[in-house]
Amino acid sequence: MKRISFRDPLSEVYVDNNKIIRKIKKKDFLLFNDLFKQNFYKEMIQKNWVQKSDILNKENFVEMTHQKIENFTEVTEMSSYQLFLSGKQTLNIAIESLKNDYMLKDASAWNVVFSKGKPLFLDVASFEKWDKQKTWLGYGQFIRHYIIPLILNKELKIPTSKLFLLYRDGVYPIDARNKLGIKIFKSFIYLEYIFAPTILKSTKIIRKKDSQEDHDINKRILLTILERLKKKLLSLEPNSSSFWTNYSKKRDHYSDNDIEKKKQIIENFLKDNKGKVLDIGCNTGEFLFLASKYSSESHGIDIDEDCINHIQKNLGDNSISVANVNISNPTPSIGWKNEETSGYLKKNINYFDTVIFFGIIHHLMILDRIPLNEILELLFNLTKKNLIFEFVSNQDRRFLELASVNVDLYKDFTKENFEKLITKYFKISEIHNLEFNKNRSIYILEKIIK
């Protein structure tokens, strides 16, 4: 059994095969036993707001088991819109809990992951009986984990995923103030949550014995505070517009027939090869949505946060998972001893049945200077079976634009040399040449099991 979480003083979390086990002190058995019987909590489970748990009362401790989620998006991989949805979910849970005399003791963005396209709250140990006071100890943490990162994203275009790589416990007001400079005066929200806290650095919480009437007043006050915080969060909903979100309307290096041919290739292949699919460089999800019709799991990653925001906003009922990940510099393992959160590659190696790799080979080779054999080795490690690969020759117009004066560096990047190198990793099953752009071909490749 491997311990995967230890920061909460009230519980420790372990992984054992396909189970997640949370150990809680014996004295807390009645709290969680009662919580799991509450109708409001059962409803949150049914709505998939909160991860379902089973509880077992053992001799010296309480053991809770959770179903293991094989693949999910953590805050270091979330786009700004996903962080926004995560914050909204956290406040909804806090509000519903308070109405029923429970409260979340914290508001960490690490408590929520995205699974199958939806936010899911994992940390059941965050629930506690409301203490009848009109203060929420998670308030400051919510500001650091949600409000301030969304402000910095809006004003400075800093991806929220990158902020959590630097600031594990969220961004403190003083750090945000230094980054924003004069922009802090653009909005009353910025003044309230960033400027004012740096002036009034500490406040004391005074607790006293109250009457039932005071308790009712305190609940109304605290609910008002939470609803107001939710209103402020909603005002920070990210916009998603970038070059790449309009890319599909401007791609003059493809004809409509070429696009339809690419779609047909994917559809024909996945009809007979169902399973878990990853679309690397998924852009606005055109091929990802198509793949989701046939795959058991559909995942997409893209370097452009606006693209991930666009897909997440337009998911509807689709259970597609997307993440703001740069495949040339993927999210690393972080935390204590780099073991608390697995890096993107570590948790996805040999996970997918099919990987789709369209239109980015030239970007990785030219802009990131990644050798072709390194790219093929990475794709080999990500897929268990198949790779659908778009070859872009060194005569392609986009290739020449990117290479510019360095084009001679890629004179050996020909179709013939590509096919020779790829046989080290994959068997070529099919080759489809595009009609309008004759410098691009789609390869159906089968992984060579070594």
Side-chain angles (χ1 to χ4, degrees), residues 205-391:
I205 298 173
I206 301 176
R207 300 184 182 276
K208 62 179 181 177
K209 292 184 178 180
D210 299 321
S211 65
Q212 181 59 47
E213 182 179 357
D214 290 329
H215 293 165
D216 293 339
I217 293 173
N218 287 348
K219 180 182 282 190
R220 289 199 295 271
I221 291 173
L222 189 49
L223 281 171
T224 299
I225 291 172
L226 291 173
E227 291 288 358
R228 182 177 182 275
L229 191 56
K230 183 177 177 180
K231 185 176 180 181
K232 298 296 183 182
L233 176 73
L234 294 176
S235 72
L236 294 171
E237 179 176 344
N239 185 20
S240 57
S241 59
S242 74
F243 169 80
W244 292 109
T245 56
N246 294 311
Y247 169 75
S248 60
K249 301 176 183 177
K250 300 178 179 179
R251 51 189 176 196
D252 56 359
H253 51 296
Y254 291 114
S255 67
D256 290 342
N257 286 339
D258 280 348
I259 298 301
E260 288 305 313
K261 185 170 185 176
K262 291 172 75 172
K263 289 180 179 179
Q264 197 63 54
I265 291 168
I266 290 177
E267 193 163 18
N268 290 342
F269 180 80
L270 292 181
K271 279 180 181 178
D272 298 322
N273 295 274
K274 297 178 174 61
K276 302 170 184 175
V277 173
L278 170 65
D279 185 355
I280 299 177
C282 59
N283 198 356
T284 55
E286 183 176 20
F287 302 112
L288 182 60
F289 279 96
L290 175 62
S292 70
K293 295 179 180 180
Y294 306 99
S295 55
S296 59
E297 287 184 29
S298 302
H299 300 260
I301 61 172
D302 202 284
I303 186 176
D304 190 285
E305 186 180 55
D306 285 337
C307 286
I308 301 302
N309 284 347
H310 177 85
I311 295 173
Q312 187 67 52
K313 284 186 177 185
N314 292 279
L315 273 185
D317 294 328
N318 290 285
S319 58
I320 294 172
S321 297
V322 288
N324 185 202
V325 173
N326 178 1
I327 195 61
S328 70
N329 186 26
T331 310
S333 299
I334 63 171
W336 181 250
K337 297 191 289 187
N338 291 147
E339 292 181 351
E340 288 183 80
T341 303
S342 295
Y344 183 81
L345 296 183
K346 184 177 180 180
K347 67 184 179 183
N348 285 294
I349 289 298
N350 210 39
Y351 182 81
F352 304 100
D353 295 292
T354 300
V355 170
I356 299 172
F357 193 80
F358 277 179
I360 58 174
I361 183 66
H362 50 315
H363 291 273
L364 294 181
M365 291 178 61
I366 298 170
L367 300 181
D368 295 301
R369 296 295 179 92
I370 311 295
L372 177 59
N373 65 300
E374 289 287 340
I375 298 171
L376 295 177
E377 184 177 341
L378 175 62
L379 297 173
F380 175 87
N381 289 329
L382 285 173
T383 185
K384 289 190 291 187
K385 299 178 182 178
N386 307 301
L387 172 64
I388 307 177
F389 187 100
E390 181 174 13
F391 172 79

Side-chain angles (χ1 to χ4, degrees), residues 17 42 62 103 121 175 182 232 245 289 305 380 384:
N17 294 323
K42 292 178 181 178
V62 176
M103 180 48 88
F121 188 89
D175 295 314
I182 197 171
K232 298 296 183 182
T245 56
F289 279 96
E305 186 180 55
F380 175 87
K384 289 190 291 187

Side-chain angles (χ1 to χ4, degrees), residues 109-121:
W110 294 95
N111 289 344
V112 181
V113 301
F114 271 74
S115 176
K116 297 182 179 179
K118 304 292 188 296
L120 180 65
F121 188 89

